[in-house]
Amino acid sequence: MSVSVIIPTHNRAKQIVRSLRSVLAAVAPGDEIIVVNDGSTDNTREILEPYRSLIRWVDGPHRGPGAARNCGIVAARNPLVAFNDSDDEWWPDKLVLQRAFMQARPDVLFCSSDLGSKDRMGTEGHHGLLCWHHDPRSWNEILGPARPYSTIATLPQGRQDFSVHVGSFYETMLRAGYVATQTAIVRREQAGNMFRFGEDIPVYEDYECFVQLARIGQAAYFDCETVWQCDHDGPRLTDANAFDRAGYYIKVLQRTFGADPEFRGRHRNRYRRTLRAEYSTRARYLIRNGQREEARAELRLAEDGPLGYRLLAALPNGVLLVLVDLYQATNKLKKALIVLMNELISVIVPTYNRARSDTR
């Protein structure tokens, strides 16, 4: 089964060659690499000139990651579609693992994996997906029972066996996002119109896509790493503030789970709690920035929200300033007491030890 690999990029001339080389090391004859230039204004085009015979180049205006990935999906010719971010690295056996699995399990619509991390000094970290979803449950509970990969397909040389979990992500994804796009591979034709990223939001566009895919098909999770997520000093799309992020998340929730009457009928309270938490996050941000009238509007959408937030949003400026002063004064007092206690201990303990020594 051939794969179309999509790499969207915007002003990542310093990182994209590393990303592209890692993909080139993983593809096989018949695969294609589609680089979608999302309106870059740096020298990305010149940097990639030596690789132009190895890639398909798609140019477009700057419209964001969702639109760029969608452009790549439309251009894709192969039955399987995979992604890499222009600042991350694939492991060389990523496609070997996923291609063999998807051939062996035609019932699975998409699969994904864990990912490692590299900081700017090249120091490696592991099990990075947990930092995304923060779900303490085992993958047996999150998705489905474990099965060794080696019982499904042949392991590449040098790769240790690992667990594969197959099931439905749909209902559990109301809790968190479990799919890192750069680790995923999707059956293009079977996914159909659901295989689409949000184009009007700069974050959670990938979460929206995989919630939609999870609604119509089975997912598989490889409990191993197939990608390095690489840190760098350039801008990241995840840099949006808490207020905006919560707003984008609300929009995605409303047009995925909120647009599914059957799901809302079964999980009405879970859905409402999730929305309330996001509106409360927006209210907290506004309170901290002195926008209490706007915060009260968000709290109404949160069905009143936490009592503490409601009190802070209702307080006059003068009272709020007094409370802040008291809080800061209390913290200073706590710090002073800690310093005093440490000084007393530094005197008392040696004296006590000498006294005990003298009585022996």
Side-chain angles (χ1 to χ4, degrees):
M1 299 177 71
S2 297
V3 181
S4 296
V5 184
I6 298 167
I7 307 176
T9 188
H10 174 71
N11 290 347
R12 289 271 176 79
K14 293 181 179 179
Q15 291 87 28
I16 192 168
V17 169
R18 178 184 61 199
S19 169
L20 177 58
R21 284 177 175 171
S22 73
V23 172
L24 286 168
V27 294
D31 295 340
E32 62 176 356
I33 302 171
I34 304 169
V35 176
V36 182
N37 181 31
D38 185 36
S40 296
T41 56
D42 62 2
N43 61 332
T44 294
R45 180 187 291 273
E46 291 75 17
I47 286 290
L48 292 183
E49 194 61 39
Y51 302 93
R52 290 296 287 272
S53 63
L54 303 174
I55 64 176
R56 292 177 59 200
W57 176 267
V58 178
D59 248 328
H62 180 45
R63 295 193 296 149
R69 290 195 187 107
N70 289 340
C71 184
I73 293 169
V74 170
R77 300 167 178 161
N78 290 330
L80 295 177
V81 174
F83 303 89
N84 195 21
D85 289 347
S86 55
D87 54 351
D88 291 336
E89 295 178 35
W90 277 6
W91 289 36
D93 63 358
K94 178 185 187 295
L95 287 188
V96 174
L97 290 168
Q98 293 184 321
R99 194 193 315 268
F101 175 85
M102 296 297 271
Q103 286 176 330
R105 291 294 302 263
D107 57 312
V108 171
L109 179 62
F110 67 94
C111 70
S112 59
S113 76
D114 202 348
L115 72 170
S117 62
K118 286 184 181 179
D119 66 17
R120 298 174 196 182
M121 302 300 293
T123 304
E124 298 175 358
H126 299 282
H127 307 298
L129 195 63
L130 182 61
C131 299
W132 291 29
H133 60 70
H134 304 289
D135 190 338
R137 298 178 299 165
S138 72
W139 280 100
N140 290 336
E141 298 173 271
I142 294 171
L143 187 59
R147 181 177 169 185
Y149 179 92
S150 61
T151 65
I152 304 169
T154 303
L155 281 163
Q157 187 174 5
R159 170 69 76 161
Q160 292 187 339
D161 208 357
F162 55 88
S163 296
V164 177
H165 303 263
V166 177
S168 174
F169 263 135
Y170 185 49
E171 293 190 359
T172 196
M173 283 189 78
L174 181 60
R175 178 169 178 161
Y178 298 91
V179 182
T181 303
Q182 62 270 53
T183 74
I185 192 165
V186 182
R187 297 186 193 275
R188 181 172 58 87
E189 292 184 2
Q190 290 86 336
N193 293 333
M194 289 296 191
F195 194 11
R196 183 173 178 81
F197 294 80
E199 296 191 357
D200 59 341
I201 47 178
V203 293
Y204 298 118
E205 81 291 341
D206 49 350
Y207 174 76
E208 179 174 7
C209 177
F210 287 103
V211 169
Q212 294 176 145
L213 293 178
R215 183 178 177 181
I216 64 169
Q218 292 273 291
Y221 173 76
F222 291 4
D223 197 5
C224 69
E225 296 166 1
T226 64
V227 173
W228 291 115
Q229 186 177 38
C230 301
D231 191 20
H232 55 83
D233 56 5
R236 286 190 176 273
L237 295 170
T238 51
D239 291 341
N241 64 48
F243 179 83
D244 289 337
R245 288 178 66 87
Y248 299 139
Y249 192 42
I250 289 167
K251 182 178 288 189
V252 170
L253 289 172
Q254 289 174 334
R255 61 195 189 196
T256 52
F257 299 110
D260 181 353
E262 185 180 346
F263 180 90
R264 291 203 322 273
R266 294 197 312 271
H267 302 287
R268 178 174 178 271
N269 290 336
R270 279 184 61 204
Y271 177 68
R272 288 175 58 191
R273 282 198 302 271
T274 304
L275 283 180
R276 287 201 302 266
E278 297 306 314
Y279 283 121
S280 295
T281 296
R282 285 166 64 87
R284 179 185 179 187
Y285 181 91
L286 292 167
I287 291 167
R288 295 181 69 172
N289 285 275
Q291 299 170 266
R292 289 191 300 286
E293 183 176 346
E294 294 87 344
R296 289 193 290 271
E298 296 293 331
L299 288 170
R300 285 192 290 272
L301 292 170
E303 300 176 26
D304 290 336
L307 176 61
Y309 291 3
R310 300 203 305 271
L311 289 173
L312 289 171
L315 288 174
N317 276 338
V319 176
L320 191 60
L321 288 173
V322 169
L323 287 176
V324 171
D325 289 342
L326 284 173
Y327 175 77
Q328 292 175 341
T330 301
N331 275 345
K332 289 179 181 177
L333 179 60
K334 286 180 181 177
K335 291 176 182 177
L337 287 172
I338 290 170
V339 170
L340 178 60
M341 288 299 297
N342 286 336
E343 289 179 352
L344 286 172
I345 289 169
S346 69
V347 172
I348 291 171
V349 170
T351 303
Y352 173 77
N353 288 337
R354 284 196 299 273
R356 281 182 60 87
S357 177
D358 291 344
T359 60
R360 288 175 182 171

